[in-house]
Amino acid sequence: MEFFATIDKIREDRCISKETLEYVLTTDNKDEEAYLFAAAREVADQVYGKEVFLRGLIEFTNYCKNDCYYCGIRCGNQKANRYRLKEEEILSCCDMGEKLGFRTFVLQGGEDPYFTDEKICQIVREIKKNHPDCAVTLSIGEKSKESYRAYFEAGTDRYLLRHETANEAHYKSLHPDTMALAHRKQCLFDLKEIGYQVGCGIMVGSPNQTIDTLYEDILFMQKLQPHMIGIGPFIPHADTPFANENQGSVERTLRLLSLLRLLFPKVLLPATTALGTLDPLGRENGILAGANVLMPNLSPKEVRDKYLLYDGKICTGDEAAECRDCLKRRLEKIGYRISDSRGDYPI
Ligand code: SAM
Ligand code: FES
């Protein structure tokens, strides 16, 4: 009974203590877990009804100048089979995506110097010209404020940049010294100031993550007040320094999704491909735990098995249309449907 009251209080106050976070993430009581999921789902349903937003993910380059220890496309991975999509290829992904009903395109890639600001702006302008009713999201890492402003002026609506962890020592254990947490956080505040809908996020169960670091993540998110939060389990990639680390837990990811929904009722919260990779019903269970976004792949089939951030990634052999139909059916089974709107953050 006490646990149920605690969940109700988190929902009401939109804040949580470190002790409660620890309890919620570690309880073995399945009735308590079910109550948490149901409360989060109720909040999501109040804001978004039974509709889930789709984002078409276009993984347009797997070149990256960074060397993040967890990531399969880090520059140090000599085995990665590198590719870049041509502008025409990116544009034709969007054309096909719009026909399939997508109203958001997410251009994601490594930090690839080949794609200068000029090239990115040109691509964004073309997409917005061809698809004025669609939103464009960029997820291309840390850039200067001037670059972010240029992308915004070219028409970019949203930007995803997971902060990865808000704890300094934890951040250092995941990244080489060339990268700095302070800069990553600054990027997020710059993006917000410019006017983007901004997404931060973490990998659940990344090496050295603790309840303390997760609590710092929540405090950071409360300060940033992001419009989107991307969380998915960490999954090791065989050709990275973290090859032998443990993968993140599906259960913990689901519980964190629920807590985030209670703490940030209106936030756009994806049930990620990584969650679907560790559990065949991971994405459905993510929606049932309070998520409201799915991000199927729109990249050309020929390159999908090259954008491998982690081992075992699902849907690398499917056509975009198959993915969309598959997700539609999966959602129907749990009483949800795909929204036909752009899915902006509600004002
Ligand atoms: N370069 C951009 C950036 O840094 O934001 C976007 C691409 S990056 C690959 C996108 C996200 O993938 C990262 O923010 C990270 O959280 C996630 N990711 C990378 N390696 C992963 C792994 N092994 N398991 C799960 N997620 C991973
Ligand atoms: Fe750059 Fe992963 S290290 S995208």
Side-chain angles (χ1 to χ4, degrees), residues 64 70-73 108-111 139-141 160-162 164 184 202-203 232-237 274 307 309-310:
C64 189
Y70 44 83
C71 183
I73 62 170
Q108 191 182 83
E111 289 192 24
S139 177
I140 53 174
L160 297 177
L161 182 74
R162 289 187 179 179
E164 314 296 0
R184 207 159 177 93
I202 60 165
M203 293 174 290
F234 161 73
I235 307 175
H237 184 293
Y307 196 86
L309 309 179
Y310 47 80

Side-chain angles (χ1 to χ4, degrees), residues 224-258:
L224 178 68
Q225 288 295 324
H227 307 90
M228 310 171 271
I229 302 177
I231 69 163
F234 161 73
I235 307 175
H237 184 293
D239 303 315
T240 63
F242 287 166
N244 298 319
E245 298 288 342
N246 292 327
Q247 65 187 29
S249 130
V250 169
E251 186 175 80
R252 180 165 284 199
T253 306
L254 294 173
R255 291 184 190 188
L256 276 167
L257 282 172
S258 289

Side-chain angles (χ1 to χ4, degrees), residues 144-213:
S144 68
K145 195 168 181 183
E146 294 71 55
S147 300
Y148 287 147
R149 193 168 280 127
Y151 309 152
F152 189 72
E153 281 165 8
T156 311
D157 303 274
R158 310 185 188 130
Y159 204 101
L160 297 177
L161 182 74
R162 289 187 179 179
H163 62 289
E164 314 296 0
T165 172
N167 175 278
E168 195 68 55
H170 186 208
Y171 191 88
K172 274 192 186 309
S173 77
L174 301 177
H175 302 95
D177 283 344
T178 45
M179 296 178 73
L181 175 60
H183 187 252
R184 207 159 177 93
K185 286 183 175 171
Q186 188 54 50
C187 285
L188 284 161
F189 287 107
D190 287 348
L191 287 160
K192 249 201 120 179
E193 199 186 306
I194 292 167
Y196 285 95
Q197 291 173 51
V198 175
C200 65
I202 60 165
M203 293 174 290
V204 178
S206 62
N208 306 310
Q209 184 175 74
T210 61
I211 298 291
D212 285 348
T213 67

Side-chain angles (χ1 to χ4, degrees), residues 45-334:
D45 288 357
Q46 275 166 6
V47 181
Y48 292 106
K50 292 287 181 187
E51 297 210 325
V52 169
F53 300 125
L54 283 197
R55 316 299 195 200
L57 187 62
I58 304 171
E59 299 160 334
F60 70 101
T61 173
N62 72 352
Y63 283 86
C64 189
K65 67 180 172 63
N66 292 334
D67 217 11
C68 308
Y69 302 145
Y70 44 83
C71 183
I73 62 170
R74 63 199 295 267
C75 65
N77 181 10
Q78 312 277 341
K79 292 194 191 159
N81 192 349
R82 307 283 170 177
Y83 73 92
R84 287 184 183 109
L85 295 187
K86 296 194 185 69
E87 182 181 327
E88 309 83 81
E89 292 175 303
I90 298 172
L91 297 177
S92 67
C93 287
C94 297
D95 293 345
M96 179 191 49
E98 183 165 29
K99 286 197 190 101
L100 290 172
F102 287 89
R103 293 293 172 268
T104 293
F105 305 116
V106 181
L107 266 54
Q108 191 182 83
E111 289 192 24
D112 180 357
Y114 169 86
F115 285 99
T116 57
D117 288 354
E118 211 176 313
K119 286 200 176 81
I120 294 291
C121 289
Q122 157 73 14
I123 293 167
V124 172
R125 273 194 296 269
E126 279 303 305
I127 298 176
K128 293 295 282 193
K129 191 176 85 193
N130 300 342
H131 308 284
D133 297 337
C134 295
V136 172
T137 305
L138 284 177
S139 177
I140 53 174
E142 295 175 38
K143 306 280 173 177
S144 68
K145 195 168 181 183
E146 294 71 55
S147 300
Y148 287 147
R149 193 168 280 127
Y151 309 152
F152 189 72
E153 281 165 8
T156 311
D157 303 274
R158 310 185 188 130
Y159 204 101
L160 297 177
L161 182 74
R162 289 187 179 179
H163 62 289
E164 314 296 0
T165 172
N167 175 278
E168 195 68 55
H170 186 208
Y171 191 88
K172 274 192 186 309
S173 77
L174 301 177
H175 302 95
D177 283 344
T178 45
M179 296 178 73
L181 175 60
H183 187 252
R184 207 159 177 93
K185 286 183 175 171
Q186 188 54 50
C187 285
L188 284 161
F189 287 107
D190 287 348
L191 287 160
K192 249 201 120 179
E193 199 186 306
I194 292 167
Y196 285 95
Q197 291 173 51
V198 175
C200 65
I202 60 165
M203 293 174 290
V204 178
S206 62
N208 306 310
Q209 184 175 74
T210 61
I211 298 291
D212 285 348
T213 67
L214 284 170
Y215 193 63
E216 282 186 61
D217 289 320
I218 289 174
L219 296 181
F220 171 71
M221 291 176 196
Q222 283 174 330
K223 194 165 157 212
L224 178 68
Q225 288 295 324
H227 307 90
M228 310 171 271
I229 302 177
I231 69 163
F234 161 73
I235 307 175
H237 184 293
D239 303 315
T240 63
F242 287 166
N244 298 319
E245 298 288 342
N246 292 327
Q247 65 187 29
S249 130
V250 169
E251 186 175 80
R252 180 165 284 199
T253 306
L254 294 173
R255 291 184 190 188
L256 276 167
L257 282 172
S258 289
L259 281 176
L260 292 171
R261 173 59 68 207
L262 298 179
L263 294 168
F264 304 92
K266 294 201 289 187
V267 82
L268 294 154
L269 198 58
T272 58
T273 304
L275 190 56
T277 294
L278 290 192
D279 181 337
L281 291 177
R283 286 169 300 176
E284 289 90 324
N285 289 334
I287 300 295
L288 294 173
N292 73 319
V293 173
L294 290 169
M295 299 177 68
N297 205 323
L298 268 188
S299 312
K301 211 170 155 178
E302 308 79 72
V303 301
R304 284 195 189 194
D305 58 352
K306 301 192 179 93
Y307 196 86
L308 293 182
L309 309 179
Y310 47 80
D311 292 334
K313 188 176 171 194
I314 51 169
C315 307
T316 55
D318 300 342
E319 295 289 355
E322 293 174 63
C323 281
R324 192 191 181 279
D325 291 345
C326 165
L327 289 177
K328 183 170 177 277
R329 279 195 305 276
R330 283 169 178 263
L331 284 176
E332 277 165 4
K333 274 198 193 143
I334 57 167

